[in-house]
Amino acid sequence: MPKLTITHHDRDSAGLTYVYPVISRRSGGLSIGVNLNPNHACNWRCVYCQVPDLVRGSAPAIDLFQLEDELTGLLADALHGDFYQRYELPEDQRVIRDIALSGNGEPTSCREFAAVAGIVGQVCAEFDLFGTIKLVLISNGSLMAKPAVQRGVAHWSELGGEVWFKLDRATADGIRRVNSVNLTPAAVLRHLEISARLCRTWLQSCWFAWDGAAPGADEQRAYLDLLAEIRQRDIPVGGVLLYGLARPSMQAEAPRLSALPPGWLEDFGGRIEAAGFAVKVSG
């Protein structure tokens, strides 16, 4: 049985298809992940992604009955079994912080996304978890204009959930370089506004060194300028989850990427706070 740590995020650690346990830096403890992309397919290809054999594409058809059984079983094990002892978790991590729709690709590319949100709600009700854990959708936000995705996000909001919306860079060149997609900052802002008006939304931003160099002043300024536009347009963003590299990338660019010094992230986090946003920094 592998020991769970912030650097060990093996989606197969529990031997299940859709559900897996991880220790999350951003959640601050045990997160129950729901992987809607077991085919390792995503419509983006972020250079820091730790998913091996990543391919372009969408989520496959999901066996909703199996997903419900796996989620119910893992929660029962964590709440009433010897889960924490088997995974050698310290006492301060022996609590479920959240259930996260995440995994090996973009979860909203799943055709059954809205139904999955409903299943998570049903299982949480069975275990009386509402008000004790968070429900998190980790998304690149690129599919927010789709009505089916909006229905799922709206239901996620009804359950008390929140969205962690990816915003790694705020220039077209930066987005292309880091996320491997041709997307303008204006398009990102449109998708963000849809998400934030449907459901409580935080930005999640990964910053790292490339060939030993920190992101340039132009990228930093563009990011802060985009935050200023978010405030000007009164888009209700909860804050920014600012984080660095803790696990090795599985993409071709991996040898060129490295973690920034903690002080760099703290300093940039201070500039984000000065722009009027709550910020949580994790190295």
Side-chain angles (χ1 to χ4, degrees):
M1 182 66 64
K3 182 178 180 180
L4 291 181
T5 69
I6 62 171
T7 59
H8 179 86
H9 274 207
D10 183 1
R11 266 73 169 183
D12 299 320
S13 62
L16 304 172
T17 300
Y18 300 115
V19 180
Y20 61 97
V22 296
I23 299 299
S24 169
R25 291 173 294 157
R26 284 167 285 173
S27 294
L30 179 63
S31 174
I32 304 299
V34 179
N35 180 14
L36 300 183
N37 303 76
N39 60 348
H40 295 203
C42 188
N43 62 339
W44 287 19
R45 191 193 67 82
C46 300
V47 296
Y48 56 81
C49 182
Q50 67 270 14
V51 174
D53 304 317
L54 184 69
V55 297
R56 295 278 191 169
S58 301
I62 302 296
D63 185 331
L64 296 174
F65 294 104
Q66 180 180 349
L67 188 152
E68 183 175 0
D69 285 345
E70 290 184 2
L71 183 57
T72 299
L74 187 56
L75 284 172
D77 190 16
L79 292 168
H80 308 302
D82 63 351
F83 172 90
Y84 296 122
Q85 291 80 10
R86 297 199 318 275
Y87 282 92
E88 302 180 45
L89 289 180
E91 290 292 336
D92 63 346
Q93 293 178 352
R94 295 187 177 188
V95 59
I96 301 172
R97 298 295 186 188
D98 65 48
I99 296 174
L101 300 186
S102 178
N104 292 348
E106 172 51 40
T108 63
S109 71
C110 171
R111 286 168 291 179
E112 299 88 357
F113 169 65
V116 170
I119 287 172
V120 172
Q122 292 170 15
V123 174
C124 284
E126 291 172 11
F127 286 95
D128 196 23
L129 291 176
F130 287 118
T132 65
I133 68 168
K134 294 174 67 172
L135 298 179
V136 178
L137 166 63
I138 300 178
S139 173
N140 62 33
S142 62
L143 303 177
M144 286 291 171
K146 293 181 174 293
V149 173
Q150 292 177 22
R151 287 194 294 271
V153 172
H155 186 39
W156 198 243
S157 180
E158 292 170 359
L159 297 172
E162 62 185 49
V163 178
W164 291 359
F165 186 106
K166 185 182 296 296
L167 177 65
D168 292 324
R169 300 294 180 270
T171 67
D173 286 344
I175 294 168
R176 186 180 306 109
R177 189 185 199 199
V178 172
N179 307 123
S180 305
V181 289
N182 292 314
L183 198 62
T184 65
V188 174
L189 206 57
R190 288 196 298 271
H191 296 152
L192 173 62
E193 184 162 13
I194 293 170
S195 177
R197 299 205 185 283
L198 285 172
C199 184
R200 177 174 171 80
T201 297
W202 281 68
L203 297 172
Q204 52 162 346
S205 300
C206 184
W207 291 75
F208 50 87
W210 193 301
D211 293 335
D218 56 339
E219 285 291 349
Q220 297 176 48
R221 172 47 53 192
Y223 187 93
L224 295 171
D225 286 347
L226 192 62
L227 293 184
E229 187 171 353
I230 289 170
R231 282 183 59 83
Q232 183 179 16
R233 292 171 55 168
D234 199 26
I235 299 174
V237 170
V240 177
L241 303 169
L242 181 65
Y243 65 106
L245 297 182
R247 301 179 299 279
S249 166
M250 292 294 178
Q251 308 311 307
E253 296 85 353
R256 306 182 66 183
L257 313 182
S258 59
L260 291 163
W264 194 99
L265 289 175
E266 293 290 347
D267 288 346
F268 194 50
R271 296 173 68 188
I272 292 171
E273 282 188 325
F277 286 80
V279 62
K280 299 177 182 179
V281 179
S282 52

